[in-house]
Amino acid sequence: MTKTNTKKLAIAGVFCAVAVVGSLFSVPVFGSKCAPVQHMVNILCAVLLGPGYGLGAAFAAALIRNLLGIGSLMAFPGSMFGALVCGLVYSKTQNILGTLVGEMFGTAVLGGLCAYPVAILFMGQSAAGLAFYAYIIPFLISTTAGAAISAVLIYSLQKSNILYTMQKSLR
């Protein structure tokens, strides 16, 4: 049991590092930075590690990005909701397409709606001068790109039967 937890924690750390480095390749859209690599990492964590590790990796990546000055406070709602929802969807259904949709819904809708109060409370009224739904569109663009990347990767791993082997080694 401890060996498996150590493996999962190490892999979550690697995914966190990939998300932080991948955030250097972000595109500004309206009030947020679109970082599709974070969403790819969320989905990979959901499929390989589960919702808890995915949420932890998303939080750690958002925190590190903010501490390094390469992210904004929008990184928290923009990554954590998607990680949690897609992790829960995969753990309950084992359906990859549902997991991709869960990431997109969690990030775009739930994360986008929660980004508005974060902008008001922590970034000042001027940062929240956009409409209430203004964060949903940029988050949707980012998560759609990340979901597409992870879909190609996961379906390739699944077709070659590597995905099952990876999942089995982490049980």
Side-chain angles (χ1 to χ4, degrees):
M1 184 77 167
T2 305
K3 187 176 181 182
T4 302
N5 290 342
T6 304
K7 274 187 192 179
K8 285 184 172 185
L9 189 59
I11 291 170
V14 170
F15 280 142
C16 177
V18 168
V20 171
V21 172
S23 73
L24 295 173
F25 307 104
S26 64
V27 178
V29 176
F30 300 120
S32 68
K33 292 181 179 179
C34 294
V37 173
Q38 175 65 58
H39 306 292
M40 177 197 71
V41 166
N42 287 351
I43 294 167
L44 290 174
C45 282
V47 171
L48 293 174
L49 305 175
Y53 285 96
L55 182 61
F59 175 78
L63 182 63
I64 293 168
R65 287 170 55 196
N66 275 273
L67 292 173
L68 293 175
I70 57 175
S72 72
L73 289 177
M74 297 300 116
F76 290 99
S79 64
M80 292 175 60
F81 282 97
L84 180 61
V85 172
C86 76
L88 291 173
V89 167
Y90 190 79
S91 69
K92 299 295 181 196
T93 67
Q94 306 295 306
N95 184 322
I96 293 172
L97 183 60
T99 304
L100 299 172
V101 172
E103 167 65 26
M104 293 169 63
F105 175 79
T107 297
V109 177
L110 299 178
L113 291 174
C114 289
Y116 185 76
V118 168
I120 290 174
L121 294 172
F122 299 111
M123 298 173 76
Q125 189 67 24
S126 62
L130 301 170
F132 183 70
Y133 299 102
Y135 294 105
I136 293 175
I137 301 301
F139 287 1
L140 182 63
I141 293 167
S142 182
T143 192
T144 301
I149 295 167
S150 63
V152 169
L153 184 59
I154 289 173
Y155 283 119
S156 297
L157 290 172
Q158 191 177 39
K159 188 174 181 178
S160 63
N161 211 22
I162 295 172
L163 182 64
Y164 174 75
T165 305
M166 292 169 74
Q167 289 172 325
K168 188 177 174 185
S169 73
L170 292 171
R171 287 187 195 145

